[in-house]
Amino acid sequence: MPKQINFFKGHPTLDLLPKKALSEAFAKVISETAHTDYESDPENRHPLQYGTDLGNLTARESVARWVNKQFGRTSLHPDQINLTGGSSYGSQNILLATTNTETTLQAFVVLPTYFLINYAFIDAGFENKMTAVRETPGGEFDIDIEFLEKKLTELDDKHGLKPVGDKEINIFPDPTGRGVRKQYRYVMYLVPTFSNPGGLTYTDATRSKLIELARKHDLLLLSDDVYDHLNYEGKPPVRKLSQIDEDTLPEGWKFGNTVSNSSFSKIIAPGLRVGWQETATPTLALQLSGTGANKSGGTPGQLNSVVVQHFIEDGTLDETIEHYKKTYKSRAVTLKKALDEALPAKYSKYYGGDGGYFVWVEIEAPDVDIAEVLSKLQKEHNVVIAAGGNFEVEGDSLGWNKVGARLCVALLEEEEIKEGIEKWGQVLKQAHPQLY
């Protein structure tokens, strides 16, 4: 059996990771941080101690300055940031903090979706309460806004609920004394920049329309913003949903309708397990920081978050990101060229390849099942490509298994990419010569 070529795994080649810089940063943070610096500071803790609920103020200040610079803004305040244990932890924490089975009627998930997010929603009580909303590349909006609005209106009518007026709703006292807490009527998951797996970046118009619907229907927009800083062309990122929410927040609103769930996994190293959440207001960030595990042990990545602070302040983070972008861009160019040469042009199209990790491929032709072709490709050549069925919404499948596939540019070297796609083309042509 030949060496495996795996396009499924969504993490960087090990050699790309900043191992030396991380080793030096950990050593510096652990050995050179004086305990006396923290003895009388209520907003910061020593990196080897339990952290504060939101995370060290100094770390949040560094993150806020860095994000503001990246987006050409000045408004993000450290009190709008909650430090987390990465975006996967962050998604679970958001659902735990802002939804419940009595108040929250339905979850909406943009399709094709990040396949592992299904677990977080099922664990939060949304089994049989998840609706897929298609991405619609080339349309007026990047997702099916008309469908989403129709479903939200139908659910409101079914439960006898009125649209939200001038004031936020579903704000309840907390029995443990943590203050009032907002529970949302609906929740929606999306990856709006270099989407996983769809490869799209949603326009500002799409994002603004989502905010409009979210306010009207009491919908929380949970966006995984983990690829925003991996634009291969060096263009400034599109405004986050949380930034649009902040920029247009109605007078008197204390929570908003968005959480930007971000991570350093894609821009430093996956094993670091540090992320951050941005909200339109400090009130919602504080609510996210007050879940049970955080109240017990403080922010989940205390030591690692201080290492990230060091990375930001000495410029290593920006250098690391530039290295990733340069490498991924070259690999993406190789991948797209290989796809053009190997796949039948009449029946194939792909999205992405200008940022992030993924390229999404669709091959639609009569009597062709892409999942069967990819299964044969793996058995005969040990080339692993994820079929579209992996990226369905649990309980609301829309048939992506036969036509879709996701490819990652982060893990494989260029020669492996060329070889793997060439083998795919060979197997496809052997199985369906009529496509060529």
Side-chain angles (χ1 to χ4, degrees):
M1 179 66 71
K3 175 186 175 182
Q4 186 176 84
I5 299 175
N6 196 321
F7 289 93
F8 197 159
K9 292 183 178 180
H11 59 76
T13 314
L14 187 59
D15 288 345
L16 288 178
L17 301 177
K19 297 184 286 294
K20 184 174 185 294
L22 278 170
S23 177
E24 292 172 352
F26 271 102
K28 183 178 180 66
V29 167
I30 292 172
S31 65
E32 297 183 17
T33 304
H35 287 267
T36 54
D37 294 343
Y38 295 90
E39 286 179 350
S40 59
D41 188 345
E43 296 188 288
N44 294 288
R45 297 285 186 272
H46 189 277
L48 293 180
Q49 295 287 11
Y50 293 117
T52 63
D53 293 350
L54 285 164
N56 271 14
L57 176 59
T58 54
R60 288 184 284 120
E61 287 173 337
S62 290
V63 173
R65 285 192 297 269
W66 183 76
V67 171
N68 279 329
K69 181 180 178 182
Q70 294 288 309
F71 283 86
R73 296 169 64 90
T74 59
S75 63
L76 182 63
H77 189 275
D79 286 350
Q80 294 168 254
I81 292 174
N82 175 48
L83 299 181
T84 71
S87 61
S88 298
Y89 165 90
S91 295
Q92 191 80 69
N93 185 62
I94 291 165
L95 294 174
L96 181 64
T98 62
T99 69
N100 63 56
T101 54
E102 293 180 2
T103 305
T104 312
L105 304 175
Q106 193 77 7
F108 295 89
V109 181
V110 173
L111 185 82
T113 190
Y114 167 53
F115 66 108
L116 296 177
I117 199 63
N118 284 294
Y119 299 130
F121 277 93
I122 295 299
D123 288 350
F126 289 99
E127 187 173 2
N128 300 319
K129 295 173 66 176
M130 297 168 65
T131 298
V133 180
R134 286 181 181 268
E135 287 187 335
T136 51
E140 179 184 2
F141 298 110
D142 301 297
I143 65 173
D144 194 342
I145 292 286
E146 183 178 350
F147 172 82
L148 173 63
E149 187 168 17
K150 180 175 178 287
K151 287 296 182 182
L152 288 167
T153 301
E154 287 177 354
L155 284 164
D156 280 355
D157 291 344
K158 176 182 177 180
H159 293 277
L161 301 171
K162 296 180 179 180
V164 178
D166 295 334
K167 296 182 180 180
E168 291 177 295
I169 63 172
N170 292 328
I171 299 172
F172 306 100
D174 181 78
T176 64
R178 288 177 288 184
V180 295
R181 306 178 70 73
K182 173 112 175 72
Q183 303 291 296
Y184 291 83
R185 188 184 289 174
Y186 307 104
V187 61
M188 182 175 188
Y189 174 83
L190 65 164
V191 186
T193 300
F194 305 123
S195 62
N196 177 9
L200 303 182
T201 295
Y202 304 165
T203 62
D204 192 87
T206 300
R207 299 171 192 233
S208 295
K209 183 63 177 179
L210 280 170
I211 297 290
E212 177 187 321
L213 289 180
R215 289 178 182 158
K216 179 179 179 180
H217 295 280
D218 196 33
L219 167 69
L220 177 67
L221 299 169
L222 191 177
S223 57
D224 261 356
D225 294 328
V226 298
Y227 305 106
D228 290 53
H229 308 287
L230 292 176
N231 187 313
Y232 304 158
E233 306 305 324
K235 298 177 182 178
V238 181
R239 275 194 306 172
K240 294 187 182 190
L241 287 158
S242 60
Q243 293 168 342
I244 299 173
D245 198 12
E246 178 187 0
D247 292 344
T248 61
L249 195 69
E251 184 177 354
W253 286 40
K254 301 294 184 182
F255 293 88
N257 290 82
T258 58
V259 181
S260 171
N261 189 40
S262 302
S263 175
F264 291 101
S265 293
K266 303 296 188 291
I267 52 179
I268 299 180
L272 200 58
R273 307 316 305 146
V274 178
W276 77 100
Q277 295 166 341
E278 296 173 39
T279 58
T281 72
T283 306
L284 185 54
L286 190 64
Q287 178 173 325
L288 296 174
S289 77
T291 52
N294 268 38
K295 295 299 290 184
S296 175
T299 189
Q302 170 67 355
L303 169 59
N304 291 356
S305 69
V306 180
V307 170
V308 167
Q309 177 187 339
H310 179 84
F311 253 57
I312 292 172
E313 292 176 353
D314 73 359
T316 306
L317 176 58
D318 289 334
E319 294 173 2
T320 302
I321 291 173
E322 288 305 313
H323 180 53
Y324 283 143
K325 290 195 297 186
K326 180 179 178 181
T327 303
Y328 297 159
K329 178 179 179 178
S330 182
R331 292 176 179 180
V333 168
T334 297
L335 174 60
K336 289 188 286 187
K337 184 174 185 295
L339 291 171
D340 288 337
E341 294 173 350
L343 301 185
K346 181 179 178 181
Y347 300 99
S348 305
K349 53 188 174 183
Y350 55 80
Y351 304 95
D354 53 355
Y357 271 23
F358 303 107
V359 171
W360 176 255
V361 177
E362 295 176 14
I363 303 176
E364 294 189 71
D367 304 318
V368 176
D369 187 328
I370 296 305
E372 289 182 359
V373 173
L374 295 178
S375 177
K376 186 177 181 181
L377 175 66
Q378 182 171 351
K379 289 176 182 177
E380 295 182 359
H381 299 283
N382 209 16
V383 176
V384 181
I385 297 176
N390 289 284
F391 309 100
E392 295 277 10
V393 174
E394 181 66 30
D396 194 16
S397 174
L398 298 184
W400 279 113
N401 210 42
K402 291 188 175 183
V403 299
R406 188 194 76 173
L407 301 115
C408 178
V409 301
L411 178 65
L412 299 175
E413 304 283 354
E414 290 180 42
E415 287 303 315
E416 294 174 309
I417 290 171
K418 287 191 287 187
E419 180 182 350
I421 300 304
E422 181 181 313
K423 296 294 185 185
W424 185 15
Q426 291 173 3
V427 172
L428 183 61
K429 188 171 185 177
Q430 182 182 37
H432 300 284
Q434 75 278 11
L435 301 183
Y436 294 84

